[in-house]
Amino acid sequence: MNKLLWTPSEERIKETNMYRFMRFVNEKYDQDFKEYESLYQWSVEHIPEFWGAFWEFAGIKASKGYDRVVDDPGKLPGAKWFEGAQLNFAENLLGFRDDRIALLSYGESGRLKSFTYRELGDEVARVARSLKDAGVVKDDRVVGFMPNIPETVIAMLAAASLGAIWSSCSPDFGASAALDRFGQIQPKVLFTVDGYSFKGKSFDSLERISRMVDHLEGLQKIVVVPFTVEEQDLDLNGLPGSQ
């Protein structure tokens, strides 16, 4: 048997979410779990009870509660989970509004950028208002030709908060590859960076966008996010000539 290298203190154990959840399950279902293994075994033997407890413990925000946790836990794939529930993905991810760090971005150039939960919520609300003003409603499609940066997350959450459907691809996709993805869903709004960098070299994104727009039926707005310049800000002015 391998030698145990470290054991957390009792105080540290009691500060964990796992310990808090274990106590929650014990109280809710009159159990006496004291370690992970016994809780795990119970979870696979009592699937509806476990996931129902997790929904409650996690504080899932829903405009309409579920009718049942799962119809047939032995049917995988194909089981139906939390039937009847209605919730918004963005509302749940933005449930915190405090000064803890929510996003931390470290770019190729070495630039560090962070957002607290409060700042992230404010940015998402600002972009959501602009999308709403641009006519985006539930079930519309919003897409991003964007790299892995905070602005992409903000745009996604803003779209989701309105009930819109989000899709994205990296700006290093060629125009035809991006069209294969975006052309199927007919987006109303497209977010793009002006360009991106790779191994110290900058590449233009707007030339690719100009070759795509005529083939995206229903596209009404292009949002250009400056990325190859120092300051970044979401702007709904769009490309020259965009509607």
Side-chain angles (χ1 to χ4, degrees):
M1 180 180 291
N2 294 331
K3 182 181 178 181
L4 188 63
L5 298 178
W6 177 79
T7 301
S9 66
E10 189 72 17
E11 180 182 6
R12 187 163 185 171
I13 290 173
K14 291 181 177 180
E15 290 176 348
T16 65
N17 283 330
M18 180 60 72
Y19 181 83
R20 292 175 52 238
F21 179 59
M22 190 180 301
R23 289 194 59 187
F24 180 83
V25 171
N26 285 342
E27 294 174 6
K28 185 175 181 65
Y29 293 108
D30 193 27
Q31 299 294 322
D32 189 29
F33 301 124
K34 294 183 173 63
E35 73 287 321
Y36 171 82
E37 287 76 12
S38 59
L39 175 64
Y40 168 76
Q41 188 60 39
W42 181 83
S43 76
V44 297
E45 294 173 353
H46 300 81
I47 290 175
E49 292 85 352
F50 174 82
W51 287 108
F54 180 78
W55 174 291
E56 187 177 346
F57 175 79
I60 302 297
K61 296 178 175 61
S63 57
K64 184 177 181 297
Y66 59 85
D67 299 321
R68 60 181 172 181
V69 174
V70 60
D71 63 339
D72 182 359
K75 186 180 179 182
L76 292 174
K80 296 180 180 180
W81 292 87
F82 300 108
E83 289 182 274
Q86 295 181 5
L87 57 82
N88 186 281
F89 181 67
E91 181 184 14
N92 281 276
L93 288 183
L94 296 170
F96 301 110
R97 294 303 295 268
D98 53 38
D99 294 325
R100 291 177 296 166
I101 297 297
L103 285 179
L104 191 63
S105 171
Y106 197 73
E108 181 180 310
S109 65
R111 183 184 181 193
L112 182 65
K113 191 171 186 179
S114 65
F115 289 84
T116 66
Y117 281 103
R118 193 185 316 279
E119 291 169 337
L120 178 62
D122 290 344
E123 287 296 305
V124 170
R126 184 169 69 89
V127 177
R129 285 194 297 270
S130 296
L131 287 174
K132 187 175 182 179
D133 291 343
V136 173
V137 296
K138 183 178 181 293
D139 293 333
D140 279 340
R141 277 75 63 199
V142 178
V143 298
F145 194 59
M146 301 276 286
N148 188 17
I149 57 176
E151 286 77 5
T152 308
V153 177
I154 291 168
M156 178 275 291
L157 289 172
S161 72
L162 299 176
I165 298 165
W166 170 266
S167 180
S168 67
C169 67
S170 170
D172 60 8
F173 274 41
S176 60
L179 272 174
D180 285 342
R181 178 172 299 186
F182 297 156
Q184 299 179 57
I185 59 176
Q186 299 180 349
K188 180 178 283 187
V189 176
L190 183 151
F191 285 84
T192 180
V193 284
D194 57 344
Y196 66 97
S197 61
F198 180 69
K199 292 186 177 180
K201 294 183 179 180
S202 294
F203 299 87
D204 178 50
S205 294
L206 300 185
E207 186 275 333
R208 298 179 192 182
I209 293 296
S210 66
R211 288 189 279 130
M212 292 166 52
V213 291
D214 290 339
H215 302 283
L216 292 174
E217 183 180 349
L219 183 64
Q220 298 180 13
K221 197 74 174 177
I222 298 172
V223 184
V224 181
V225 181
F227 185 60
T228 54
V229 294
E230 183 64 21
E231 293 299 322
Q232 301 177 29
D233 187 30
L234 292 173
D235 185 3
L236 279 179
N237 290 328
L239 288 175
S242 64
Q243 299 297 315

